[in-house]
Amino acid sequence: MIKFSKRYFTRLGLLILVLGCLCELSSYIVVEKFWFEEVGYLEVFFKQIFWKLGLLISVSSCSIWFLFINLNQAEYYKWSNPSQDYEIYTQDKSQFTKLDRYPSSPSLGLFYLICIVIGLGGVIGLIILYYGEVAYNSWISNFPLQNEIPMIPSLSPLDFNFKFILQEVNQLWKIGIIGVTIFVILLNINLCFRVTSLSFSLILGLTLSSNWSRVLQYLYSTPFGEADPQFGKDISFYIFSFPFWKLIDFWLSGLFLFGLIYVVLTYLMAANSLRSGRFIGFSQEQLRHIFTLGGLFALDVAFHNWLARYELLYSSRGVVFGASYTDIYFLIPIYTLTAIILVIFSLLLLFRGTKNNTKSIFYYSPLFIYIAILPITWFGQEIVQSLIVEPNELAREIPYIKRNIASTRRAFNLDKIKIKTFHGTGNLTEKFLDENRLTINNIRLWDPRPLLQTNRQLQQLRPYYKFNDADIDRYSISLVADNNLSKIVKQQVLIAARELEYEAVPEPAKTWVNEHLVYTHGYGFTLSPVNKVDEGGLPFYSVQNIDTKNRIRNLQTFNNELEIPIDNPRIYFGESTNTYIMTNTEVQELDFPSGQDNVYNTYDGKGGIKIKNWVRKVLFANYLRDWQMIFTRNFTPDTRLIFCRNINHRIRTIAPFLLFDNDPYLVTTKVQVGNNNLKETKLYWMIDAYTTSNRYPYSEPGNSTFNYIRNSVKIVIDAYDGDVSLYVIDPDDPLIKTWSKIFPNLFKPFQEIPLFIKNHIRYPKDMFNVQSERLLTYHMTDPQVFYNREDQWRIPQEIYGENQQPIEPYYLLISLINDTPEFMLFNVYTPTSRNNLIAGLFARSDENNYGEMLLFRLPKQRIIYGPEQIEALISQDPVISQQISLWTRQKSRVIQGNLLVIPFFKEQSLLYVEPLYLEAEKNSLPTLVRVIVVYENKVVMAKTLNEALNSIFKTRMNMSTLSK
């Protein structure tokens, strides 16, 4: 009978575990390959996988090789029987001289030995804990998506201090890990070293593998053509190269320190030194080994100090972000000096590692100098700051304030903003209003929030439909003029997609078949002109309900026709499509409800992966953890699996290195099919993507996690087929140039975007908000004014409902320079200490002028009402306050909508418009009941915008006639 040992079963278990992990990884890679092949970006997948696995394997292998080489060497040189050897040594030193095995350092008693062992073991535990957390945060927590570039580790073991250690061990389980590490070292150091070395090497590999994008950016870097003001290096060094070298420093510092400590522990604990209560000292061979590792570690510390010079360009210590007077004249020389000293020290240690009996104090003098410099560094910078800088701070810091202003403005594209003066003289008349009728007709009276509430009451139709958002866009209309000639102009609209949310399906209907085969897609959208009101104060819908005949509905309004294509309203890919589905099965899909019945449909798009055979079925079932896929009989030879349908998840999987806007918006348009002249109406999602970095020298990040941003990419997603196209709209951005070199087939030039889709691009709010927040301070270009914050701005507050909130940027259709109205994003500013209007910022969205920004500044000598002052005028108007009180007594809630500031450049005038909504306390269905218009000191509330405007400007004309 064959007997199996415990070692056999252990090895068998490990083999099964390894094979299981390999099968799981292979299954994941194969399915991901199918998905990337389906979306047309297989090259992106292969390059990511190649570099992720390549870095994981190469870094882990190099780390394991380094640690085990040193372990084997330590095992060879360690004392085997120190007590016996020590007795022979004391009797006959000649034997040890020949063998080079006599102690060459002082011996240690039990107390000091235990203290050193426990201390070094604690450092090992702390290193493993910290590096493990970094690896988890940068990779494991995002697996398998890893949809963001992880932050560069802010610390290496060289930066550990008492404060950091206290923060790191602030939880009991962390203390437990360190304690277990020390205990295992005391119990069996050889086993502990091998296990922890393997684990630590894997952690290092995972950390650098998660930063694959930084390695590729370093290899494919693109020059900025700009030099930093301190070291004169191109900005590309800081964006692409510096993060790479920081990663190398993070890897080597941990590796060298880990190996050095374990080698020292191996020598200290050899031959039961703890049990015998004495360590007789290190031999010459042991010292040479330790000095060699110490030399490598010292060389990395020198490299770390050299990199610290560049890190000062991101210092937040001074009066502004970036290197200040103390950094330039004290810390940079100190770091340079210490780096040189440590290089000399490392070379001496490496030389000492090749020689015997070299005990000269000369070898350690650089270390003593370095240790002496450390307290000078800690206290010296405080002395310089307090005694030299602060008594004359402005004069000392003014060159660095200039650097900060210039760099921040460049990094956030503020230096491209054109500045105009807006006098606000108030020349608006009824005649001018007629000339600006298109702008007046596009003043937004419907806010997205009340419109969405109405949609959910009137247009949701079934509980499983959902309106996530209502987005502002513009569509072309045919306007009939007085001479009966038509012209094409634009109309602002609110468009909201009706998506399917499976979580809202009634519980009894939540079956596997319903989830994955029946409830597959949303249907249609609502579309409302921003200025139109239907009967009863409800929104006017150009597109509403579910058009079962798939016809184009025309809207007649203001002698014009709004044509909205809605041929194929099915939404298989959206913001709420979080389930995976199978199409072309034996079960028909729910298309849309029709009265008491439902209409069913079969997907005929090109999205999804064909399941084909049982091998793929098993692969997909394992990938999705859905084993019912294997046993269902509803599949056909044409069945397709569609997963990763959420558009936010979809784009982050394809391009995880980009930052994406939070507000995707739906577009309906006709596009050309193939090479013929046929046009097909389709629904598309448009999403803005940004290239960002937190490594731009001297650029103040403010409230953001980055200090450089460009809106470089426009993404278009087919809501029916799931096709994803990425178009480069800012080809001059060095970051997108680098990514285009890394993935040459991922991006398309903006010229290739279909014209009908190009007409719907808009300047993104997220980008605008970031720039707007930076502009509050960085519109000041004079360093003295900046230092004193004499002209600091803020975002004004408005009353929305019953609460105050910052005014959000909003889209307008107005004329800036010529008479052609443009679609623009706009917001206003007030001084921090006053409420009057001081400036406004425009971002142009139409193709020819896309991305251009205009700042209009109002004269400081004139007081022009700001939004808070306008809100005060509205609140204290007796007619308005009386009407609001009356509605409130009738158990209705009054909602004051967004206050819009409408500038008219040609007339140098400002108009303020605020809608009023009314909703019941229960079953909220907001209705637009009044429109408030404010012009100069005149406040009018009327049922419609036109009535309010007529009341103001006809009264002004009559008063003007009477005065004459």
Side-chain angles (χ1 to χ4, degrees):
M1 184 176 178
I2 300 175
K3 293 184 179 180
F4 298 102
S5 64
K6 289 184 179 180
R7 180 175 294 181
Y8 172 81
F9 286 108
T10 302
R11 290 178 177 177
L12 181 63
L14 288 174
L15 179 63
I16 293 173
L17 179 63
V18 170
L19 289 176
C21 291
L22 289 175
C23 289
E24 187 70 24
L25 181 62
S26 302
S27 169
Y28 167 77
I29 291 176
V30 169
V31 176
E32 285 287 298
K33 180 260 181 186
F34 287 152
W35 186 85
F36 275 91
E37 188 175 26
E38 181 239 329
V39 296
Y41 295 112
L42 194 57
E43 175 210 20
V44 175
F45 170 73
F46 279 137
K47 184 160 277 191
Q48 287 190 43
I49 285 293
F50 174 80
W51 282 96
K52 286 178 183 178
L53 292 180
L55 285 170
L56 175 63
I57 293 171
S58 58
V59 172
S60 298
S61 300
C62 290
S63 301
I64 290 172
W65 174 83
F66 176 83
L67 293 175
F68 274 75
I69 282 288
N70 282 282
L71 171 64
N72 292 335
Q73 192 172 357
E75 287 291 320
Y76 179 77
Y77 289 136
K78 72 178 183 180
W79 297 111
S80 56
N81 193 343
S83 300
Q84 180 181 351
D85 291 343
Y86 188 72
E87 290 175 4
I88 298 174
Y89 167 72
T90 55
Q91 297 171 6
D92 186 2
K93 296 182 181 180
S94 62
Q95 295 184 29
F96 286 89
T97 304
K98 293 178 182 178
L99 296 173
D100 195 24
R101 296 283 289 169
Y102 60 90
S104 297
S105 68
S107 61
L108 294 173
L110 181 62
F111 175 76
Y112 293 105
L113 181 61
I114 291 177
C115 290
I116 292 173
V117 169
I118 291 176
L120 293 177
V123 174
I124 288 288
L126 188 64
I127 291 173
I128 294 173
L129 180 65
Y130 174 66
Y131 275 73
E133 284 184 306
V134 171
Y136 179 85
N137 292 330
S138 61
W139 182 272
I140 303 298
S141 60
N142 287 324
F143 187 82
L145 295 180
Q146 204 205 350
N147 54 16
E148 294 179 358
I149 298 178
M151 297 293 290
I152 300 174
S154 57
L155 295 173
S156 75
L158 308 177
D159 300 307
F160 288 1
N161 53 37
F162 184 71
K163 182 179 179 181
F164 168 79
I165 294 172
L166 288 180
Q167 291 175 348
E168 194 66 16
V169 297
N170 58 356
Q171 295 177 351
L172 189 60
W173 68 271
K174 294 181 178 181
I175 299 174
I177 288 177
I178 296 174
V180 167
T181 304
I182 296 172
F183 176 76
V184 175
I185 287 174
L186 293 172
L187 190 67
N188 190 333
I189 187 172
N190 289 334
L191 176 63
C192 181
F193 183 83
R194 295 180 187 278
V195 172
T196 54
S197 293
L198 289 171
S199 303
F200 187 61
S201 299
L202 181 62
I203 287 171
L204 291 173
L206 285 172
T207 303
L208 268 75
S209 175
S210 68
N211 284 275
W212 61 272
S213 57
R214 300 191 192 280
V215 177
L216 285 174
Q217 282 183 312
Y218 170 75
L219 296 175
Y220 292 88
S221 62
T222 302
F224 271 66
E226 305 168 10
D228 84 271
Q230 179 58 37
F231 298 103
K233 290 184 173 291
D234 190 88
I235 299 299
S236 60
F237 168 79
Y238 299 94
I239 302 293
F240 303 124
S241 302
F242 185 56
F244 171 78
W245 292 118
K246 293 250 312 176
L247 282 172
I248 298 299
D249 173 47
F250 179 79
W251 172 35
L252 295 181
S253 60
L255 183 65
F256 291 159
L257 182 60
F258 188 90
L260 175 62
I261 292 176
Y262 254 124
V263 164
V264 171
L265 284 172
T266 300
Y267 290 144
L268 287 175
M269 299 180 64
N272 294 321
S273 59
L274 289 175
R275 185 176 299 176
S276 63
R278 181 180 57 185
F279 172 69
I280 63 172
F282 296 106
S283 69
Q284 281 293 324
E285 291 290 348
Q286 293 172 358
L287 286 176
R288 285 204 298 269
H289 189 192
I290 292 172
F291 286 141
T292 301
L293 288 177
L296 292 176
F297 181 65
L299 192 61
D300 182 75
V301 177
F303 180 58
H304 181 81
N305 278 267
W306 188 260
L307 292 180
R309 300 158 66 247
Y310 301 113
E311 191 69 39
L312 290 174
L313 300 190
Y314 312 104
S315 171
S316 57
R317 182 187 301 109
V319 67
V320 291
F321 188 86
S324 58
Y325 183 93
T326 303
D327 300 316
I328 299 297
Y329 289 100
F330 182 76
L331 286 179
I332 288 180
I334 287 287
Y335 287 147
T336 304
L337 177 63
T338 53
I340 294 171
I341 290 172
L342 286 166
V343 167
I344 296 172
F345 180 55
S346 67
L347 294 176
L348 290 174
L349 286 179
L350 292 172
F351 178 74
R352 172 66 179 84
T354 63
K355 301 294 181 179
N356 290 332
N357 300 318
T358 309
K359 299 183 179 181
S360 173
I361 195 68
F362 168 76
Y363 286 93
Y364 305 101
S365 56
L367 178 62
F368 299 147
I369 297 173
Y370 176 72
I371 294 173
I373 289 175
L374 289 180
I376 297 175
T377 305
W378 298 331
F379 299 110
Q381 56 185 313
E382 296 297 331
I383 294 171
V384 171
Q385 186 69 27
S386 301
L387 301 183
I388 298 177
V389 177
E390 290 182 1
N392 196 17
E393 191 171 52
L394 178 58
R396 299 287 187 190
E397 301 287 13
I398 205 165
Y400 315 110
I401 295 174
K402 289 180 179 179
R403 292 179 179 182
N404 172 261
I405 293 172
S407 296
T408 303
R409 288 175 61 84
R410 279 197 304 270
F412 289 92
N413 230 13
L414 304 183
D415 58 330
K416 304 290 179 61
I417 297 176
K418 299 176 182 177
I419 301 176
K420 300 276 186 183
T421 300
F422 188 90
H423 298 288
T425 51
N427 298 324
L428 200 58
T429 64
E430 188 177 20
K431 178 184 176 183
F432 286 137
L433 285 180
D434 289 336
E435 292 175 357
N436 291 279
R437 179 53 55 183
L438 190 60
T439 296
I440 298 299
N441 290 344
N442 278 281
I443 293 176
R444 178 167 58 83
L445 301 181
W446 281 104
D447 298 340
R449 279 169 281 191
L451 180 78
L452 280 174
Q453 284 180 275
T454 304
N455 275 4
R456 289 160 186 158
Q457 290 286 336
L458 303 180
Q459 294 295 314
Q460 199 157 296
L461 305 179
R462 291 291 189 273
Y464 45 77
Y465 285 129
K466 179 182 181 181
F467 291 97
N468 282 302
D469 195 10
D471 295 299
I472 299 285
D473 201 355
R474 72 282 198 198
Y475 285 82
S476 297
I477 64 174
S478 178
L479 180 66
V480 180
D482 295 336
N483 56 6
N484 292 326
L485 296 177
S486 64
K487 62 178 181 179
I488 302 298
V489 293
K490 297 169 184 173
Q491 170 69 52
Q492 271 200 102
V493 298
L494 279 159
I495 185 169
R498 185 187 291 108
E499 296 192 56
L500 189 143
E501 187 179 51
Y502 182 76
E503 291 301 319
V505 170
E507 285 296 329
K510 286 186 176 180
T511 63
W512 186 88
V513 171
N514 278 344
E515 181 177 2
H516 302 298
L517 308 183
V518 177
Y519 291 97
T520 57
H521 61 275
Y523 198 97
F525 56 92
T526 66
L527 188 139
S528 308
V530 295
N531 63 319
K532 286 287 291 178
V533 183
D534 211 344
E535 294 180 2
L538 294 173
F540 184 93
Y541 289 104
S542 303
V543 177
Q544 62 178 327
N545 300 326
I546 290 181
D547 191 345
T548 59
K549 296 181 181 179
N550 291 338
R551 293 179 287 104
I552 294 174
R553 177 179 175 177
N554 298 328
L555 165 68
Q556 300 291 334
T557 175
F558 294 120
N559 294 322
N560 61 69
E561 186 177 88
L562 177 61
E563 193 173 274
I564 303 299
I566 52 174
D567 289 345
N568 187 357
R570 296 174 182 88
I571 301 174
Y572 279 83
F573 299 85
E575 296 181 86
S576 295
T577 48
N578 297 315
T579 59
Y580 56 90
I581 60 171
M582 278 70 79
T583 61
N584 304 99
T585 65
E586 298 287 353
V587 181
Q588 283 196 309
E589 306 164 33
L590 170 67
D591 203 23
F592 58 85
S594 179
Q596 299 299 318
D597 300 320
N598 292 327
V599 177
Y600 293 89
N601 183 60
T602 300
Y603 179 71
D604 60 356
K606 57 183 181 181
I609 309 167
K610 279 195 173 183
I611 295 180
K612 289 184 178 179
N613 50 50
W614 67 270
V615 176
R616 286 195 174 192
K617 192 183 289 189
V618 172
L619 278 173
F620 293 140
N622 180 61
Y623 180 84
L624 298 169
R625 297 293 187 268
D626 184 355
W627 304 107
Q628 292 193 51
M629 286 181 63
I630 299 176
F631 304 105
T632 183
R633 297 183 178 181
N634 292 315
F635 290 173
T636 70
D638 296 323
T639 296
R640 290 173 174 268
L641 170 66
I642 306 178
F643 62 97
C644 194
R645 297 193 299 139
N646 186 297
I647 56 174
N648 293 302
H649 182 183
R650 198 171 185 84
I651 56 178
R652 282 165 173 79
T653 304
I654 294 171
F657 44 82
L658 297 176
L659 182 66
F660 298 95
D661 196 83
N662 291 314
D663 187 23
Y665 60 101
L666 191 71
V667 170
T668 175
T669 185
K670 287 188 175 182
V671 294
Q672 187 170 334
V673 181
N675 296 323
N676 52 42
N677 293 323
L678 294 176
K679 291 182 179 179
E680 180 184 357
T681 298
K682 305 198 77 172
L683 294 179
Y684 293 93
W685 293 98
M686 296 193 71
I687 307 175
D688 286 275
Y690 312 105
T691 50
T692 60
S693 174
N694 62 351
R695 290 282 138 187
Y696 199 99
Y698 276 102
S699 175
E700 166 68 61
N703 298 328
S704 306
T705 57
F706 47 82
N707 65 357
Y708 172 92
I709 184 170
R710 291 293 183 271
N711 175 213
S712 298
V713 180
K714 297 285 183 182
I715 301 175
V716 179
I717 305 175
D718 190 320
Y720 190 67
D721 292 328
D723 290 339
V724 180
S725 298
L726 296 89
Y727 298 96
V728 175
I729 197 170
D730 186 2
D732 297 326
D733 173 34
L735 267 77
I736 204 63
K737 286 182 180 179
T738 294
W739 287 119
S740 297
K741 288 191 286 187
I742 295 171
F743 301 112
N745 298 317
L746 176 60
F747 301 101
K748 302 175 183 178
F750 187 69
Q751 291 75 16
E752 293 184 12
I753 193 170
L755 177 62
F756 295 101
I757 297 177
K758 190 181 294 184
N759 292 334
H760 292 278
I761 63 171
R762 65 182 195 182
Y763 200 86
K765 280 188 178 181
D766 285 355
M767 177 78 173
F768 187 91
N769 283 329
V770 169
Q771 292 175 299
S772 186
E773 186 270 334
R774 292 289 74 211
L775 192 65
L776 298 177
T777 302
Y778 285 91
H779 67 276
M780 296 179 283
T781 54
D782 182 277
Q784 185 166 350
V785 173
F786 185 95
Y787 175 80
N788 293 320
R789 297 296 195 269
E790 296 175 15
D791 193 22
Q792 183 75 32
W793 293 348
R794 65 183 177 89
I795 303 292
Q797 300 281 313
E798 66 172 349
I799 297 174
Y800 191 90
E802 299 174 352
N803 304 313
Q804 277 200 337
Q805 65 177 29
I807 289 183
E808 298 177 357
Y810 49 92
Y811 291 98
L812 293 173
L813 261 174
I814 62 171
S815 302
L816 273 184
I817 299 172
N818 49 42
D819 293 332
T820 304
E822 297 182 53
F823 190 61
M824 287 179 280
L825 192 57
F826 176 63
N827 208 354
V828 293
Y829 308 106
T830 59
T832 52
S833 56
R834 301 189 307 278
N835 293 329
N836 57 287
L837 199 64
I838 193 68
L841 181 65
F842 284 98
R844 305 170 83 172
S845 294
D846 291 344
E847 178 195 352
N848 295 333
N849 303 309
Y850 180 83
E852 292 183 10
M853 304 190 80
L854 172 68
L855 179 70
F856 78 77
R857 305 187 70 159
L858 286 84
K860 295 181 180 179
Q861 61 271 20
R862 295 187 68 242
I863 300 299
I864 298 174
Y865 289 145
E868 287 143 325
Q869 293 166 327
I870 295 297
E871 294 282 20
L873 288 176
I874 293 172
S875 298
Q876 65 195 29
D877 184 89
V879 176
I880 297 174
S881 59
Q882 182 180 4
Q883 184 62 59
I884 291 176
S885 299
L886 179 62
W887 281 323
T888 305
R889 286 197 298 270
Q890 295 173 351
K891 296 185 178 180
S892 296
R893 192 165 73 95
V894 178
I895 301 174
Q896 289 181 243
N898 293 135
L899 177 63
L900 305 180
V901 183
I902 316 294
F904 293 88
F905 276 82
K906 188 175 179 181
E907 296 78 21
Q908 292 289 297
S909 300
L910 293 171
L911 191 70
Y912 302 86
V913 178
E914 182 175 88
L916 280 184
Y917 310 101
L918 197 64
E919 66 174 358
E921 291 183 357
K922 296 181 180 179
N923 301 320
S924 171
L925 186 64
T927 57
L928 179 63
V929 290
R930 294 292 187 271
V931 179
I932 301 171
V933 176
V934 182
Y935 180 69
E936 295 187 334
N937 293 318
K938 185 69 173 176
V939 181
V940 171
M941 181 175 70
K943 291 184 178 180
T944 66
L945 177 61
N946 282 336
E947 288 181 19
L949 292 173
N950 289 336
S951 177
I952 289 178
F953 290 100
K954 285 189 176 179
T955 302
R956 284 174 59 85
M957 288 188 68
N958 292 335
M959 292 297 293
S960 176
T961 303
L962 287 173
S963 64
K964 288 180 180 179

